[in-house]
Amino acid sequence: MSEVKTINQGKNFSHASVGCLNGFEGKQFVKDATGATSCEISFGSLPTGAAVPFFHSHKDNEENYIILSGAGKFQVDECVFDVAEGSVVRVSTACDRNLKCTSAEPMTYVCIQAKEGSLGGYTMTDAEITERESLL
Ligand code: ZN
């Protein structure tokens, strides 16, 4: 299983990595490595035919699942639907969820959990263009 490593940190950032996603196995949570305060991010991978071994729900946090590779089925309470690379699934609080890989290749995904209803400004209602010399 890969491991989340803090690569470097500065006054206003932290950089971590779970490593190469091709071959990633299991589940890794990132918040402790980055010190994130607004959300928890996890990377997960399911081999062919495998589902997460339990259903779960959340009290305060919604979850956004982003399928990075592979394909499968997603279940929210009694509703089942297909997901595949590029799918984004938002799941609200107080409902049961699980996903299963049905593709020949592993299904790799990211899950972002954040407090439901907490998003205020976003994109250009929160951001502003700033002037800085590029050092890239
Ligand atoms: Zn969850």
Side-chain angles (χ1 to χ4, degrees):
M1 178 179 289
S2 60
E3 187 176 315
V4 182
K5 295 183 175 77
T6 302
I7 296 172
N8 57 334
Q9 294 178 298
K11 178 179 169 220
N12 294 313
F13 72 94
S14 57
H15 170 202
S17 178
V18 297
C20 183
L21 295 178
N22 185 7
F24 178 88
E25 293 181 354
K27 181 89 165 173
Q28 290 290 339
F29 292 87
V30 175
K31 183 181 72 58
D32 289 345
T34 63
T37 63
S38 61
C39 65
E40 170 64 287
I41 299 171
S42 61
F43 288 78
S45 180
L46 294 166
T48 303
V52 176
F54 51 84
F55 280 80
H56 76 286
S57 66
H58 282 269
K59 290 176 267 186
D60 293 325
N61 294 337
E62 69 177 18
E63 291 186 312
N64 288 274
Y65 289 81
I66 304 164
I67 309 302
L68 302 175
S69 67
K73 301 277 188 189
F74 206 109
Q75 181 174 348
V76 179
D77 290 335
E78 304 303 319
C79 186
V80 176
F81 49 94
D82 294 325
V83 293
E85 179 177 330
S87 292
V88 179
V89 180
R90 175 196 170 265
V91 185
S92 66
T93 56
C95 60
D96 303 327
R97 79 283 320 259
N98 201 348
L99 65 168
K100 179 178 184 176
C101 175
T102 60
S103 57
E105 62 178 311
M107 186 164 67
T108 305
Y109 61 96
V110 168
C111 181
I112 301 169
Q113 61 174 275
K115 187 172 176 60
E116 191 167 65
S118 65
L119 184 62
Y122 54 95
T123 312
M124 292 313 290
T125 61
D126 182 61
E128 60 182 290
I129 304 298
T130 58
E131 298 293 329
R132 179 171 299 276
E133 178 188 359
S134 176
L135 304 175
L136 302 174

